[in-house]
Amino acid sequence: MKNFISLFLIVFIVFSCQQPEKIGFVDNSKLINEYQEKKDAEAKLQGKIDLFQKRTDSLRQAFQLEINDAEIRARRMNDRQKQELSKELQDKDGLLAQRIQFEQNQINLESQAMNDSLIAKVKDFVKDYANKNGYSYILGSNEGGSVLYGKNENDLTQIILDLMNDAYKKE
């Protein structure tokens, strides 16, 4: 019985001496959207999108001029020649649409890769921050409500955002 009481006291002391879990949270949207590297990457990507749009508009205008010219030439053609001209224009239109679709896909892939990279970088940064500062958990809040309530002193969003932006400036 004496051993049982001693064992109980030891277990009680061990559990009562443990520090409570340190928990914080971040606003996922704010952390990602206000991260300077994301803003810079989006600006760079927007430049590519604008350039793509200009090229696309230019190609479409050139093709429209070619269609207008073909309509004028078609007035003096026989039916077989008109069919050949029509097929030629349809083939060019198909190639133009494929080229545009390919470039759009490339931009989408680049955008997705950029987002995936940024999210991974933010997760790694938060994990490193948690390890360095003794946090057992850092939760992410979002519009869906994964953190419905948190005390302001447990909101680490601005602290981590400032540290991330400072680290980015140093790169």
Side-chain angles (χ1 to χ4, degrees):
M1 182 74 171
K2 195 174 189 181
N3 287 339
F4 179 71
I5 292 173
S6 297
L7 180 62
F8 177 75
L9 283 174
I10 291 172
V11 169
F12 178 75
I13 290 170
V14 167
F15 280 109
S16 65
C17 292
Q18 288 183 338
Q19 294 181 348
E21 300 282 334
K22 194 170 177 184
I23 299 174
F25 68 94
V26 295
D27 179 338
N28 294 339
S29 297
K30 182 176 180 180
L31 200 59
I32 295 288
N33 292 327
E34 293 184 20
Y35 182 29
Q36 189 60 46
E37 184 174 356
K38 180 181 190 272
K39 292 177 182 179
D40 293 347
E42 282 182 336
K44 182 179 174 184
L45 190 61
Q46 187 60 49
K48 289 183 179 187
I49 291 169
D50 293 344
L51 186 61
F52 162 74
Q53 193 63 48
K54 286 178 185 176
R55 274 195 316 269
T56 300
D57 291 346
S58 177
L59 289 171
R60 286 186 175 145
Q61 285 176 348
F63 186 63
Q64 186 59 48
L65 289 174
E66 192 172 341
I67 289 173
N68 293 345
D69 181 56
E71 287 174 351
I72 293 169
R73 288 184 296 142
R75 293 180 192 150
R76 293 171 286 187
M77 293 181 174
N78 63 37
D79 288 343
R80 185 184 58 76
Q81 290 171 323
K82 287 179 186 178
Q83 285 178 343
E84 288 175 5
L85 180 61
S86 176
K87 182 177 178 348
E88 180 184 323
L89 290 173
Q90 286 175 350
D91 290 346
K92 284 184 179 183
D93 186 41
L95 289 173
L96 178 61
Q98 284 179 349
R99 180 177 177 181
I100 291 169
Q101 185 64 44
F102 176 77
E103 286 190 47
Q104 283 177 330
N105 289 342
Q106 292 301 108
I107 289 172
N108 289 339
L109 288 172
E110 185 175 344
S111 174
Q112 187 62 46
M114 175 197 75
N115 287 334
D116 291 347
S117 173
L118 286 170
I119 289 169
K121 196 172 206 175
V122 169
K123 282 182 175 180
D124 288 345
F125 195 95
V126 170
K127 181 179 177 182
D128 187 52
Y129 178 86
N131 288 331
K132 287 179 181 175
N133 293 282
Y135 282 89
S136 300
Y137 301 97
I138 295 182
L139 308 173
S141 69
N142 58 33
E143 296 82 29
S146 61
V147 175
L148 298 176
Y149 172 77
K151 291 181 179 179
N152 285 341
E153 59 265 19
N154 295 334
D155 186 351
L156 304 171
T157 306
Q158 195 60 51
I159 294 166
I160 292 176
L161 180 61
D162 291 343
L163 290 170
M164 285 180 6
N165 283 333
D166 289 344
Y168 175 66
K169 286 178 189 175
K170 291 177 184 175
E171 290 179 2

